[in-house]
Amino acid sequence: MKNIMLGIVHLSLFILSGCAPSYKPIYMSQEEFQKNFGNTFISTCVRQCSGGNFKSLYDAKNWYGLAYAEYTTGSYDDLGFYYMGLAAENLNFKEMSQKYYEAALRNSGKSGCGTKSSGCDGFSFPADIYTKLDKFAQQQGHPNYQAKLASDKAALDADLKKRAAAIAEDERKQRAQMQAAKDAEAKRKASLPKPDINQIAKCAGYLYGYTKINNPLSETNKRLIQEANDFLNLFEDIKDRSPIAVKAMNIGNGLGQTYFATAQNGNMANVYLVQNMRNVINNECAEYGHRFGVETIKLVN
């Protein structure tokens, strides 16, 4: 233990020096360590400073373990400094604990605990930090400190309100943008001509029908079925869409039955039927679908 890293001393020196969180740990010799804290801390920390969950260490009042765990983790936010303050205070290092609570106040909000209704690990920031600092101010009888504390608290509260207002304003703008986009889409749909039930049923039916004379596992068939559904989905209300879907299926089944009947007879009616189906899909349905945002693939021989 020739060169012992002392969590509490190290971090207090870091706070007093005003360094950034990326500081290099300060090492103390065993003699310096004992001079400041004596042998009790050394012997106790050897047994207890093994890390662990901060909240469980706090609940167990394991102040040495809490200080060590927090120090080795290096949480430079309000919760981390608050835990160090609790450890130092309960180890009777009053001045040091006050420095940690002041550091917690300076870093208020960094952990995000102050914005949570449940607090953090059961604490409520910055309220609990102010409670600790108020206690020190009362003990020391520093009216100037009280005034400074009140000023800092007012500034911090104002900053938190400002940030909350900024977040609320951003959310309001996002909602307004979403509503504007929704209104624009509704206006666009309202400006479109109403789809004709019979035309939709015909196009969806021909698309369904073509899948019956095509390879059932082909990618083309999957696309044709999707296009047929896109036509039917032009009617958003299921009550309107259901009878149209039934009519489309009847048309598709009828085309399929006719195709296989003419194929068995071996006459030209079969060829003409297929050509007619392609023409309807490629021309009539493609043009009609385009008016309503339904794009169809071009079928080839």
Side-chain angles (χ1 to χ4, degrees):
M1 295 180 64
K2 188 74 176 182
N3 290 316
I4 299 175
M5 280 196 303
L6 175 60
I8 291 182
V9 173
H10 297 173
L11 197 52
S12 65
L13 289 174
F14 150 65
I15 293 171
L16 291 171
S17 65
C19 297
S22 59
Y23 77 106
K24 294 182 179 180
I26 301 171
Y27 292 88
M28 296 184 69
S29 67
Q30 184 171 351
E31 291 75 18
E32 291 174 318
F33 183 73
Q34 289 175 324
K35 181 181 178 181
N36 283 279
F37 294 93
N39 290 318
T40 304
F41 191 102
I42 299 176
S43 60
T44 306
C45 198
V46 168
R47 296 194 306 272
Q48 296 184 353
C49 295
S50 57
N53 178 274
F54 302 144
K55 183 65 165 62
S56 64
L57 291 168
Y58 167 77
D59 290 339
K61 301 186 185 309
N62 184 349
W63 307 120
Y64 294 119
L66 177 61
Y68 185 83
E70 183 57 53
Y71 167 70
T72 54
T73 301
S75 299
Y76 305 113
D77 53 30
D78 45 9
L79 181 60
F81 285 123
Y82 190 77
Y83 269 132
M84 289 300 288
L86 289 171
E89 181 181 4
N90 285 278
L91 290 171
N92 207 34
F93 302 126
K94 303 300 183 183
E95 183 177 351
M96 193 180 299
S97 65
Q98 181 177 335
K99 296 296 182 183
Y100 288 132
Y101 292 138
E102 289 173 350
L105 182 62
R106 289 197 300 272
N107 290 274
S108 184
K110 285 191 177 181
S111 67
C113 299
T115 61
K116 298 177 182 178
S117 59
S118 60
C120 195
D121 284 1
F123 302 117
S124 179
F125 293 148
D128 287 346
I129 302 173
Y130 282 122
T131 299
K132 289 292 185 182
L133 291 175
D134 281 336
K135 177 181 176 182
F136 281 110
Q138 291 169 6
Q139 291 173 347
Q140 297 165 2
H142 290 171
N144 292 337
Y145 185 83
Q146 281 278 31
K148 182 179 181 300
L149 186 61
S151 175
D152 289 346
K153 181 176 181 180
L156 180 60
D157 290 343
D159 181 62
L160 290 175
K161 287 180 181 179
K162 183 178 179 181
R163 278 190 276 175
I167 293 173
E169 178 62 16
D170 287 342
E171 292 177 347
R172 185 195 66 77
K173 288 181 179 179
Q174 290 178 3
R175 289 194 299 270
Q177 290 174 352
M178 292 174 62
Q179 186 60 47
K182 185 177 180 181
D183 292 343
E185 178 62 15
K187 186 176 180 180
R188 185 191 70 80
K189 287 184 177 181
S191 67
L192 294 174
K194 300 299 180 184
D196 179 79
I197 292 176
N198 294 323
Q199 185 65 54
I200 296 301
K202 179 179 179 180
C203 288
Y206 268 68
L207 288 163
Y208 281 138
Y210 202 87
T211 64
K212 297 182 179 298
I213 67 172
N214 202 33
N215 181 352
L217 300 179
S218 68
E219 289 299 318
T220 299
N221 262 23
K222 293 179 182 178
R223 177 65 185 272
L224 292 172
I225 291 174
Q226 180 59 55
E227 291 170 5
N229 288 331
D230 289 343
F231 270 107
L232 294 175
N233 286 336
L234 291 176
F235 294 88
E236 296 181 358
D237 192 330
I238 191 67
K239 294 179 180 178
D240 295 332
R241 188 165 64 242
S242 295
I244 303 171
V246 172
K247 187 173 183 178
M249 290 298 294
N250 290 337
I251 293 173
N253 290 333
L255 289 169
Q257 291 170 2
T258 302
Y259 169 80
F260 287 111
T262 55
Q264 290 175 355
N265 293 335
N267 56 40
M268 290 301 294
N270 178 268
V271 177
Y272 294 144
L273 174 64
V274 175
Q275 289 179 345
N276 178 59
M277 291 172 69
R278 285 201 197 101
N279 286 335
V280 170
I281 293 171
N282 288 340
N283 298 296
E284 183 180 337
C285 293
E287 180 181 350
Y288 194 77
H290 185 70
R291 292 168 57 188
F292 296 95
V294 177
E295 300 300 328
T296 59
I297 60 173
K298 187 173 182 64
L299 298 174
V300 295
N301 294 339

